Amino acid sequence: MQTPPITPEPLAYSVADACLVSSIGRTRLYALIKEGRLESRKIGKRTIIPAASLRALIEGEA
């Protein structure tokens, strides 16, 4: 019997992926970042959203 492969949870999401997994629109996502309710990081030109920050927002902790 073969065990299924372990799929690690992402550490961060691109803006598009964060919108997809949270059902929050792109404009609202950027507004939440501007309000300080959602963390973001810039890596080069790319904006990423830490998974922990997105989870905290959805769970009502942000």
Side-chain angles (χ1 to χ4, degrees):
M1 184 165 78
Q2 211 175 23
T3 58
I6 297 172
T7 339
E9 280 192 42
L11 294 175
Y13 296 100
S14 66
V15 171
D17 287 342
C19 292
L20 183 67
V21 299
S22 68
S23 298
I24 296 173
R26 182 180 178 89
T27 302
R28 181 66 180 139
L29 193 83
Y30 278 113
L32 289 165
I33 292 169
K34 187 175 180 180
E35 292 168 14
R37 294 184 57 205
L38 186 62
E39 293 178 37
S40 68
R41 304 281 189 277
K42 289 290 276 188
I43 298 179
K45 293 182 180 182
R46 195 166 176 199
T47 301
I48 60 168
I49 312 298
S53 180
L54 186 60
R55 192 172 296 108
L57 176 76
I58 299 301
E59 292 174 355
E61 298 170 14

